[in-house]
Amino acid sequence: MKLEDFADKKPEFKLEEYFLGKTTASGLFIDLFGKVKRQFTVEMEGIQEGDVFILNETFLYDNGEEEFRRWEITKTGERTYEGNSSDIIGVAKGERLGNAVNWHYTLKLKYGDGILNVKFDDWLIMQDEKNVFNKATMKKFGVRLGDVYLFFRKP
């Protein structure tokens, strides 16, 4: 996919507007062999604090594990964003066009008893004012490990 493919698509996706307030999601991770490895739900709350957009995410996995992530997102231009979280290495870079936002970042992923640093190519595509589809490809050393699929819903 290329961001330019979404230039004329509607509705225009501004993540700081869509994720403001409460949002829920459900998703799964499919490994490179096509096997569903994890399923999960996410409860989110977006809060605008000055120039910073805070997105609190609580993940609940099918094995009962719970995980919390707090994003701090700053709009750096008309179409660009930077994001930080405690499990992100460096800065996440995002760009939007039309009904899509594309993020690139490296995540410290819990793996067994350790941490695996994986690169994400993360696409969010707005379907309508209440629904956003998300596909994120995970790679390590340039090798695809699998894909995360999420569907976000506004109440």
Side-chain angles (χ1 to χ4, degrees):
M1 284 189 285
K2 292 182 275 185
L3 200 55
E4 294 75 27
D5 296 340
F6 299 93
D8 298 327
K9 304 289 183 185
K10 301 288 183 205
E12 186 177 10
F13 185 19
K14 295 182 179 178
L15 64 88
E16 67 277 17
E17 293 176 9
Y18 178 79
F19 286 109
L20 188 63
K22 304 274 187 186
T23 308
T24 60
S26 56
L28 47 86
F29 171 70
I30 300 176
D31 72 12
L32 71 157
F33 303 109
K35 184 174 180 181
V36 175
K37 299 299 275 187
R38 290 191 107 175
Q39 296 182 63
F40 55 92
T41 58
V42 190
E43 297 288 331
M44 294 172 289
E45 183 175 19
I47 305 159
Q48 188 71 51
E49 291 185 359
D51 291 340
V52 178
F53 185 74
I54 307 296
L55 186 58
N56 293 313
E57 302 174 320
T58 302
F59 294 80
L60 182 59
Y61 295 94
D62 55 351
N63 65 357
E65 181 184 346
E66 191 170 306
E67 183 179 27
F68 177 79
R69 177 174 299 119
R70 174 187 166 101
W71 282 98
E72 295 184 4
I73 301 169
T74 305
K75 194 169 180 183
T76 57
E78 182 58 33
R79 295 180 16 205
T80 56
Y81 301 92
E82 288 187 350
N84 292 291
S85 180
S86 62
D87 55 357
I88 296 295
I89 296 173
V91 176
K93 301 279 187 176
E95 186 174 3
R96 72 173 182 84
L97 190 60
N99 69 335
V101 176
N102 183 215
W103 284 96
H104 292 93
Y105 53 91
T106 301
L107 177 74
K108 295 184 266 187
L109 182 69
K110 293 178 192 172
Y111 185 75
D113 291 333
I115 299 289
L116 189 63
N117 296 335
V118 293
K119 292 187 181 285
F120 273 76
D121 181 14
D122 196 345
W123 287 88
L124 295 103
I125 302 163
M126 185 175 234
Q127 305 298 298
D128 56 40
E129 286 76 17
K130 292 191 176 278
N131 299 291
V132 170
F133 176 75
N134 180 215
K135 178 188 182 237
T137 300
M138 294 172 39
K139 291 184 179 181
K140 177 74 176 174
F141 303 121
V143 177
R144 187 175 144 268
L145 302 176
D147 299 302
V148 178
Y149 296 92
L150 279 148
F151 197 77
F152 297 98
R153 290 174 303 283
K154 292 297 280 186

